[in-house]
Amino acid sequence: MAEVTKEKVKKVADPIAASIDPGTQELIRRAQELEIDTVFDRAASMKPCNIGMQGICCKNCAMGPCRLPLPKGGIEGEDTRKGLCGATANTIAARNFARMVAAGAAAHSDHGRSVAEVFLSVARKETRDYRIKDPDKLLAIAPYFDVATKVEVNGEEMDRDIDEIALEVAEKALNEWGKAEGELYYAKRAPEPLYEKWKKSGVVPRNIDREVVEIMHRTHMGVDQDYKNIVKQCTRASLADGWGGSMLATDLQDVLFGTPYPLQAESNMGVLKEDHVNIIVHGHEPVLSEMIVAAAQSKEMVAYAQSKGAKGIQLGGICCTANEIFQRHGVPQAGTYLQQELAIITGACDAMVVDIQCVFQNLANVAKCFHTKLITTHPIAKMEQDNVIHIEFDEHHAMEDATRIVKLAIDNFENRGSEVMIPQYKATAIGGFGVESIEYHLGGTFRGSYYTLNDNIINGRIRGVAGVVGCNNARTRHNEAHITVVKELIKNDVIVLTTGCNGIACAMEGLLTPETAHVFCGPGLREVCETVGIPPVLHLGSCVDNSRILLAATEVVKAGGPWKDICDLPAAGSAPEWMSEKAISIGQYFVSSGVYTVFGYHFPTVGAPVFQEYLFKEMERLYGGKWDFEADPIKHARLMIAHIDKKRKELGIDKARERVLMDMADRMKLEASA
Ligand code: BF8
């Protein structure tokens, strides 16, 4: 078996050192028994390039690559390193960093564009397979596009026709990618002081595509050679992602597929069932996965599966598609980014359907060793291996495509080999939180507002708010930093908002349940969670849904308190195991929105200390947020807590917190002296 891959693997991974999850460890071991290499083994046998990872290799022209390693013992005096053209280490690292922002912003925003195109088809009634599921959300976002929701008829104000509103919003939304004049509509959703800072610095995005293109131009050989000016464009492009492409993706997905509200599901590979047809949906755009869910749940397909000897159809998600179908339908998450090959190694995956982003090409090699049908669906994301089936997904006949894919999986059930090994690990998880549901949960229909959250931040029961997000990285132990950072935060009364693979990691670990509050939280956060009935770790969706974190922070600002802007809040961001260029774009828009943001694993600018200092210190003067890096997860969380405490002190709410933390002995002393 697997002769293709067997030869190449020099070393194999130690399963225990590779992941904290026992199910993942079992499957790594299983793959090794079958002599099929996985990302964990490849990480053990191939080391990263030390110069490239420090951001100081320039390959932007054919005179290079120019490599500018740091001198042994560091830089004393002037940094004289330069490439053939004279580009300094700062310029090279800034260009590389900027290109990561551009790629990340492009990925999120192109995803958003696809959703906007489907939305326009729906508004034009060109497809019957999708429809507007949440008209209230449409009415809520329409004003941001200057689209009227009321009309005057005979002097009376009436509700405007919803189809008309949809069409106007769809056209204006799609225009955000390439409009010739003006600025992004959503920039004004930010708190006013933040918008004013962007305006003053000249970084309000003009349109989404232009900001990405401009990074590519500026970082071409011989253009922008001032790292501060390059970072300025990083900010503008990243804002076009966070407050543009990603936010539009989230909003339009909510309009089309429904705004998530809390629901319960399960997480980890144990959700697969030996006696069911198992279909893994992997990638990012819910435009595909929504239809697969609908097809797999249809009576006809279930009956067809039963006619082939299966008890039913089990869907499972990997990566952000997992988050999308989890938050809207309660479809279980099979695993994170690093578990994608392992889903096939179970031997129980009848089909894996992928679209865009975070998909390993090695899936095709692993699928060759099993009966699994690997199906690509997106015109921009194909694979060269000949065992991969391409079924192009089109919104005009989406249900037909989805049914074809599900049928293919069902027909493949009988080809399953006898060697099925599904690790029996899974955890219950509550997901589906968002700006709207947090408001509802904390205030109910009677008093739905962010007031309760603000009140508890001010009185210190909630010490602060953290957004912990992002990928896995095969260079670090799978899920270890994610879980350690989150546990340390909630232990110290910091409520966590999670998305992406961190959200799946937390779900697998059982942290997305209200009961977690009792076991892992500090006393203040526990009290709030138990009173309101929410988990201390709130799952807000996929990586494009980091826009929900921006909007939740904006709601906290708007609901009132001693703060005026996001940067004043006792809040911090984190990506403990990042790997994707999208993570860099997210980090940059968090920082440019005023959030202190800590990355784990390593930072891709360490080879250019002056440029890094600019990101880590000086950026704070512009927007109130800054980057930081700490690989050790406990120290990482403590940096975030220290920042939160600093903000509490600046706001004058540190005293309130001390009062809350008094133990019983202190209280008795007080009572005795009264
Ligand atoms: O967009 S967290 S590994 S799945 S990049 Fe990819 Fe990272 Fe996972 Fe989603 Ni986000």
Side-chain angles (χ1 to χ4, degrees), residues 108 284 319-320 337 357-358 470-472 500-501 543 579-580 582:
H108 283 144
H284 283 78
C319 282
C320 282
Y337 168 73
Q357 301 169 23
C358 304
C471 329
N472 289 132
C501 288
C543 283
M579 66 85 206
S580 157
K582 291 181 284 174

Side-chain angles (χ1 to χ4, degrees), residues 149-160:
T149 55
K150 303 274 180 194
V151 276
E152 218 181 274
V153 180
N154 300 331
E156 243 186 87
E157 197 178 63
M158 312 274 284
D159 288 341
R160 192 176 169 204

Side-chain angles (χ1 to χ4, degrees), residues 463-479:
R463 189 172 185 164
V465 182
V468 189
V469 307
C471 329
N472 289 132
N473 187 318
R475 302 290 176 196
T476 65
R477 195 176 182 212
H478 171 233
N479 286 359

